[in-house]
Each structure stands twice: as structure tokens, then as C-alpha cells.
Amino acid sequence: MTTNRRSRSRQSALKTAAASVLGIAVYSIFSEESYLHNGRRFLTSELEHEMEVNPLSMPAQIAVADDSEATDFNAGENNMSYLTSSHSTLLPWAQNNLVDIHDGPAQTDATNMFWHIPKAGGTTAKQLYQCMGKTLTIRIGIDPRHGHDQTDEIVVFPPIAGKDWKTVNVDTTIRPGIVRAKKMGLVQSRTADLIFTMEPAFAGEQLFDPQNKGRIMALFRNPVDRLVSKFYYLQTATWERTYKPEWKDMTIVEWAELPSEDENFMVRKLSGKRFSEPVNEMDLILAKEFLRQRVVVGLMGEMTESFRRFNIAMNVDVQEERNRRCVEEYFGVKDADSGVKNSNKHPKVVEGSPEWRALAKKNHLDIILYSYAERLFEEQKQIIDSYTAQDSENKQQESVEERNEPQPIVEVIHRNL
């Protein structure tokens, strides 16, 4: 019954998302080539072919019940990627458990979650917020040496002597750890400043609920560049559990032909599918909508600006002396956007080369999603900056309410002496 209900919810979200793509999507689902005409973006012939063979994509099949609430497909170019329809293009857990991108920290009491995409700046995020003394949920929290890995209650502790940043005795980076964290009431405990995960869909569905919502943010990197970095990194990273010395004897083209859980990694993780389950263009549609409506998007090539936005979304006061020093340490003027704190120097792969084409071929959905993330990064600047205005408005409202509070009545009793 649960499986059927999830299937119906998925189909409903797909239909509405497909409608948005037909009307105002900013990129083609199957190709990055598309053109704009009269405020409406028309997709390539490949999508038209898909519409013919797949009725789910046809406008007649996905028409909303109430035409008065239908999306305005003639919206101006400035509104191209923002829907006006009241019909959700998200799966129910994403719609109900995560805050909307337009809602700043002053409007919501959400728990922050960072989607750590491997080799895309996630380690820098951990180090920055450790520097600020935050409480993070990372793998070290269940290290048996600390003695809290078998405890059924939430324990917050500093894992490294002499450091004041803290962790929690859960591992939210993997599915079993997320299930355990849910049973222990991690989000409800309000103990974590930032939850790190590599399973954004699973964590979003399991950890949060409508009364205890989450805010998700992520750093994105060009998929080919990310995979090349991983290929060279794991050849030498003896400290990693996934150390792969055998890759030293392989070319990138040979490596690209191997079965890999990294194939269309981002779309797969956002769809919640496992390695054994294929991902397709419909998963890409949902992934795009998820990014558009729920994710504070950062780019590894724009680290300074990305973390400026993350700090605003997390309500981090970067004017506070300690936080300011941490930001300067990691994103100073020199090499501000190069990721030097956790850099992995390696040969570059040129776009269009045999190596690039081999990796791009197996990750075509991720490449389209990354292009979409780049567009969203530009569009979200105004949205994230509006969070500070929301905060000012809330403070002004609180001040007005305080001034308008009724004063205590002082009863004066006149006595005849």
C-alpha cells in the first residue's frame, strides 16, 4: 500500500513538473539547446519525440483540474523559472518537510542540512563551520573511541580535545545512520546547527516532518570536473575507506567504462534511487524542481559568494569576530574561490577531449542538472538577499508590538484621612 501511494505521489508530481517544463522551464530536459519565443521556452525535437511516445508528457494528460489555477505559460522572461501554479511539482515529503526557498530564517524555525556531494567542496563546509564552533552531524560522531555509538539517546560532545566545535552521536551521511538518527529524534532535539548528508532525498523524507522542517543547501561542481578529481584523488588517498590504488594503472577513458555509483550521481541522489535502479529524464524533471523550490544553491567556482548565502540562510552573524576570522581564513582575497583548503591537484581534462566525452556520455543528466544549477545560482541572489529584509521587518514588527502592549493598570485609591 505504501509503495502504491508513493508511486501515485511520484506520478502526480511528475505530471505537474512536466507541465511546468513545457511552459516555463529554463533548460531542455534532454538537451541544453532550446530557444525562447514570446516568453515561452520551446524544447528540442528530442523532447517532442518523447511527448509523442510518452503520454505522461502530453499537455492534455497533465492539465490541471482548475484552469483558473493553471500556470501562466506566457510569463515574462524574468519569471521563467518560477511557477505560479498552486499544484505542487514536488514529492509530498519535499513539499511538506522542507522550507521553501523564498522563506528566510526569520520566517521559519528550520534545521539546516548540507548535501555533501563528493569532491564538490563539502569538506571545506565542514571545516568552516567547525572553525565557527558549530555543532555538526558527521561520521566522527559514531566513532567507537568516543563511547557514544551504542547510546540510544542524543549526546552532544566535542570529538577533538582542545577544539570547541561539537558533534552528535549519529551518522547522517548514510542511510542506516539516518534511520538511527530518526529513531533518536535528532531534528526534534534541536541539537545540531548543521546536518551533513550524502542522501538528500532519504534524509529529507526521514529526518524532517511538517512540524520540524529542514532547510537544505548544497555546493555544485561540473560533473566531469568532479569525477576527474575523484579519479585522481582516490589513487593516492590512503586514509580513505574507498582508496583505489589500482586506478593508477587506468586511463580516464578506461575508468569511465566501469560500472559506477557515480553515474548521474546528483539526479540519482535527488530521486532517492539506489545504484541498481536506473534514472531517466523524469527523474531529472523532479530533480530540477527540487533544486528550484527547496535548495540554496552554491557553486564550487563561486565559493565566497556561495558561503555568503549559506551564512545568511543559516542566520550566521559574520560580523561576530570569530565568524569573521573564519570566513577570512577560508575565503580571503588570495585564492578565494579555488578551494585551496582541501585542494587535490591533478591534470585537467579539456572539454571535448576523448576523456571528457567518455565521462559526459555516462553523466548526461547530471550535466543538464548542473547547467540548471548555474542558472538558479544567478536567480537566487535576490532571493537570499531578501532574507535580511525579512529579518529587519520581523524585528520592526516585534518592536511595534512591544510598544503597543497595554501598560499595567495602576489603581489609585484615594483615602479620606
Side-chain angles (χ1 to χ4, degrees):
M1 181 66 70
T2 301
T3 302
N4 291 337
R5 185 163 56 250
R6 287 184 176 178
S7 177
R8 288 195 299 271
S9 297
R10 180 181 180 80
Q11 289 177 5
S12 175
L14 278 171
K15 289 178 180 180
T16 311
S20 71
V21 169
L22 289 169
I24 54 175
V26 297
Y27 285 106
S28 165
I29 297 305
F30 298 93
S31 167
E32 292 183 74
E33 299 177 358
S34 57
Y35 62 91
L36 190 65
H37 179 65
N38 293 332
R40 179 172 179 175
R41 187 168 295 272
F42 288 80
L43 309 182
T44 60
S45 59
E46 291 181 78
L47 179 54
E48 293 172 0
H49 171 71
E50 176 67 15
M51 288 163 57
E52 292 176 0
V53 299
N54 183 3
L56 175 63
S57 301
M58 293 299 291
Q61 296 292 328
I62 56 180
V64 294
D66 183 356
D67 290 340
S68 66
E69 294 181 341
T71 300
D72 179 10
F73 286 169
N74 295 314
E77 184 175 358
N78 291 336
N79 298 320
M80 286 290 287
S81 57
Y82 293 95
L83 300 179
T84 58
S85 171
S86 63
H87 297 268
S88 176
T89 54
L90 297 170
L91 294 176
W93 65 264
Q95 175 72 23
N96 300 324
N97 296 0
L98 302 176
V99 297
D100 187 271
I101 186 65
H102 292 87
D103 295 334
Q107 293 182 319
T108 59
D109 184 23
T111 299
N112 300 302
M113 182 169 74
F114 189 94
W115 175 23
H116 184 174
I117 302 171
K119 307 310 298 175
T123 299
T124 298
K126 293 177 185 177
Q127 293 172 345
L128 173 66
Y129 294 115
Q130 287 171 353
C131 177
M132 292 182 179
K134 302 299 183 183
T135 299
L136 316 177
T137 65
I138 52 180
R139 188 172 296 145
I140 196 174
I142 60 166
D143 190 322
R145 292 176 298 177
H146 300 300
H148 304 302
D149 56 308
Q150 300 300 320
T151 305
D152 293 332
E153 296 180 351
I154 293 291
V155 179
V156 180
F157 63 98
I160 299 178
K163 302 290 185 179
D164 64 350
W165 67 271
K166 299 179 179 64
T167 191
V168 185
N169 60 328
V170 294
D171 179 8
T172 52
T173 64
I174 58 176
R175 291 191 176 209
I178 292 169
V179 172
R180 178 171 176 266
K182 177 183 180 180
K183 292 179 179 178
M184 295 169 64
L186 170 66
V187 172
Q188 291 76 7
S189 72
R190 303 287 178 176
T191 52
D193 294 314
L194 187 55
I195 294 173
F196 279 84
T197 189
M198 292 188 179
E199 301 285 349
F202 191 76
E205 183 174 13
Q206 296 295 319
L207 294 179
F208 304 102
D209 58 53
Q211 289 71 44
N212 300 276
K213 293 191 174 186
R215 181 188 306 280
I216 184 169
M217 56 200 76
L219 275 172
F220 294 86
R221 184 180 186 181
N222 181 284
V224 173
D225 292 341
R226 186 184 74 81
L227 290 170
V228 171
S229 178
K230 177 179 178 177
F231 172 70
Y232 286 109
Y233 174 72
L234 290 181
Q235 292 178 20
T236 59
T238 56
W239 55 91
E240 295 282 5
R241 295 184 297 177
T242 52
Y243 171 52
K244 299 289 184 181
E246 64 272 19
W247 288 358
K248 292 181 180 179
D249 300 322
M250 302 178 67
T251 66
I252 289 180
V253 174
E254 292 171 337
W255 179 66
E257 295 301 318
L258 297 176
S260 172
E261 62 183 12
D262 276 303
E263 186 173 326
N264 289 313
F265 177 88
M266 295 189 297
V267 173
R268 183 178 305 280
K269 290 299 182 182
L270 290 177
S271 70
K273 289 186 174 180
R274 297 179 180 271
F275 173 54
S276 59
E277 300 175 281
V279 291
N280 54 38
E281 288 77 10
M282 293 297 101
D283 296 310
L284 175 60
I285 291 175
L286 287 181
K288 281 186 169 185
E289 284 300 289
F290 184 79
L291 292 192
R292 183 178 67 82
Q293 299 184 57
R294 290 295 183 266
V295 180
V296 179
V297 172
L299 299 178
M300 190 171 176
E302 299 283 352
M303 294 285 269
T304 302
E305 173 62 14
S306 296
F307 278 92
R308 184 189 75 85
R309 298 182 191 184
F310 294 161
N311 289 333
I312 292 175
M314 293 174 59
N315 204 23
V316 172
D317 182 6
V318 293
Q319 300 304 316
E320 191 273 327
E321 179 61 22
R322 175 175 179 170
N323 295 340
R324 185 186 61 79
R325 284 189 284 104
C326 290
V327 170
E328 288 182 355
E329 178 182 351
Y330 283 86
F331 308 112
V333 175
K334 183 179 180 181
D335 297 324
D337 294 315
S338 62
V340 293
K341 277 290 179 179
N342 188 43
S343 61
N344 170 36
K345 298 186 182 301
H346 56 75
K348 301 296 182 182
V349 169
V350 179
E351 183 173 351
S353 65
E355 293 82 3
W356 193 94
R357 290 198 301 269
L359 291 172
K361 180 180 179 181
K362 296 189 70 174
N363 294 275
H364 62 289
L365 299 180
D366 267 13
I367 288 176
I368 297 173
L369 184 64
Y370 176 73
S371 294
Y372 188 64
E374 288 183 307
R375 171 68 180 264
L376 289 179
F377 182 76
E378 296 300 320
E379 295 182 350
Q380 283 187 2
K381 182 180 187 304
Q382 184 177 0
I383 296 174
I384 304 304
D385 286 343
S386 73
Y387 290 176
T388 56
Q390 294 174 9
D391 184 49
S392 298
E393 291 175 2
N394 280 6
K395 289 180 179 178
Q396 291 176 1
Q397 181 63 29
E398 290 174 0
S399 177
V400 170
E401 291 175 355
E402 289 178 359
R403 291 198 301 269
N404 292 337
E405 284 183 359
Q407 298 299 313
I409 299 175
V410 179
E411 183 178 0
V412 179
I413 301 178
H414 296 280
R415 295 181 179 177
N416 293 322
L417 297 176

